[in-house]
Amino acid sequence: MTANLFFDRYVIYFFIYSIIGYIGAVVYCSIPARRFVNRGFMFGPWLPIYGFGGVAIRLLGALFQKETVGARMNPVAVFFVSMVVCSLIEYIGSWLLQRFFKVKLWDYSKHKANINGRVCLLNSTIFGVAGVILTYVVHPLLSGGVNLLSDALVPDFSKAIIAVMSADATASILRMSGFKRGLSDIKEKGRQLEERLVLLKGTGSSEAIEVIRKKWEDEIFQAKEKFAHSNHHLLDAFPTMTSPNEDLRNQLEALKVSFREMRDKFKK
C-alpha cells in the first residue's frame, strides 16, 4: 500500500470514528437528560476529537503489531493506552479552545479525580473501554468494509471528507468567534450601564434614576435572551461551559439561566 493510499484510508477511518464518537456522546448525554442533547461542536453529526482518538489508537496498535511481527496488543495494554492517549487529546482540545475563545466548553471540576477540570477519571475510563471495543470489534469490521472500496475510489472519498469537514470546521470556528464577541458585547453593555448610573447620580430624583436604570437593565436582559436563543446549540451541548475569567464566567451562568428558562417555556 502506498503512503498516499494509507493516508486516504485513515481519513475515512477518522471520519467514521468521528461519527461514532458523536453518536456515543449524544446517547451518553441524552439518556440522563431524558431528551435529545446535540453534543456536537460542529454543524455536522461528527466530533473530530473522537476521530483523532480512534486514529491514534489504531496507529499505535498497528505500530506495535509491525514491531512485534504481527502480535496483537494485550487488551489490558490497549485499555491503558486508549485511556492515556484519548485523555491527552481531550486535555489538549480543551486547552486550545480556551486559548482561542476564552471559554472552557466542558468542565469536570465537580468530578472526582479530574485534572484542571479538563479530563476526569470517569471519562478516561470510558475512553479505555471504548478503545478496547474499537480495537477488537469495531475496527476489524470497519477495515473489512473500507477494504472493499477500490483503490481508485478511496482518494475521492478522502478528498470529499476533507472538503466537507474543513468547511464545517471553518463555519464552526466563525460561530464560536461570534459567541466570544457576543459575550464581550454583553459585558461591555453591563459596564456602560454602571458608568451611566454613576453619572446620573445627583442629577435628578432617585425615582427617575430608578426608572432609567430599570429600562437599561431590561434592554440588557433582552439582549441576553436574544443571544442565548441564537446560541442555544452551544449552551445546550455544553451545559458546564465556563471561563477562568470571572466576568465571562458570570455572563455564561446568566446566559445558561436564560437558556433554561426559554427551554422550559417552549416545553409548556
Side-chain angles (χ1 to χ4, degrees):
M1 183 187 301
T2 65
N4 287 341
L5 188 59
F6 179 83
F7 172 80
D8 290 333
R9 287 186 183 277
Y10 266 86
V11 168
I12 296 174
Y13 292 144
F14 167 82
F15 182 65
I16 298 175
Y17 294 149
S18 297
I19 294 175
I20 293 174
Y22 169 83
I23 294 171
V26 167
V27 171
Y28 180 73
C29 295
S30 297
I31 290 177
R34 296 183 180 180
R35 60 183 179 81
F36 175 76
V37 178
N38 183 355
R39 282 288 289 178
F41 169 74
M42 300 172 73
F43 288 90
W46 39 68
L47 282 169
I49 194 169
Y50 293 111
F52 285 118
V55 166
I57 291 169
R58 281 309 308 148
L59 288 176
L60 288 172
L63 179 63
F64 175 84
Q65 290 177 356
K66 180 179 179 180
E67 293 185 351
T68 54
V69 196
R72 301 185 73 187
M73 288 182 70
N74 184 291
V76 176
V78 172
F79 173 84
F80 283 106
V81 168
S82 302
M83 186 176 181
V84 172
V85 169
C86 293
S87 297
L88 181 61
I89 291 173
E90 184 177 41
Y91 191 98
I92 293 173
S94 172
W95 181 84
L96 286 173
L97 288 168
Q98 182 178 326
R99 175 81 174 176
F100 288 110
F101 302 117
K102 308 303 180 185
V103 296
K104 187 189 292 185
L105 287 184
W106 56 88
D107 182 20
Y108 303 134
S109 298
K110 294 182 180 179
H111 288 66
K112 294 181 179 179
N114 72 84
I115 302 178
N116 297 328
R118 302 187 191 280
V119 295
C120 66
L121 182 59
L122 173 61
N123 281 20
S124 297
T125 302
I126 294 174
F127 291 151
V129 173
V132 173
I133 296 173
L134 181 147
T135 300
Y136 296 106
V137 180
V138 176
H139 189 76
L141 294 173
L142 180 59
S143 60
V146 172
N147 288 336
L148 292 176
L149 297 173
S150 70
D151 290 350
L153 284 176
V154 169
D156 292 334
F157 276 111
S158 174
K159 290 175 183 176
I161 289 169
I162 291 173
V164 169
M165 296 200 75
S166 296
D168 194 342
T170 301
S172 300
I173 290 172
L174 290 174
R175 176 175 65 178
M176 197 66 202
S177 297
F179 183 81
K180 175 186 172 183
R181 287 194 301 271
L183 286 176
S184 298
D185 289 344
I186 292 174
K187 176 184 175 182
E188 179 62 19
K189 286 180 180 179
R191 186 189 65 79
Q192 290 177 358
L193 171 61
E194 294 297 327
E195 289 182 351
R196 289 172 181 174
L197 289 176
V198 170
L199 292 173
L200 282 174
K201 286 183 179 178
T203 62
S205 67
S206 58
E207 291 82 3
I209 293 175
E210 181 63 21
V211 170
I212 296 173
R213 182 190 65 80
K214 183 66 169 59
K215 178 183 177 182
W216 285 343
E217 286 185 344
D218 286 343
E219 289 178 359
I220 293 177
F221 177 78
Q222 290 173 8
K224 287 181 178 179
E225 279 201 327
K226 183 178 179 180
F227 182 75
H229 177 73
S230 60
N231 292 277
H232 67 278
H233 168 66
L234 286 173
L235 294 170
D236 190 38
F238 303 101
T240 61
M241 186 192 307
T242 186
S243 173
N245 180 280
E246 184 177 357
D247 289 335
L248 286 179
R249 184 167 61 250
N250 292 336
Q251 293 292 345
L252 284 169
E253 291 305 316
L255 285 171
K256 285 188 277 188
V257 170
S258 297
F259 170 71
R260 286 194 294 268
E261 290 175 349
M262 285 192 305
R263 190 177 63 201
D264 293 340
K265 288 180 182 177
F266 181 77
K267 287 180 180 179
K268 294 178 182 179

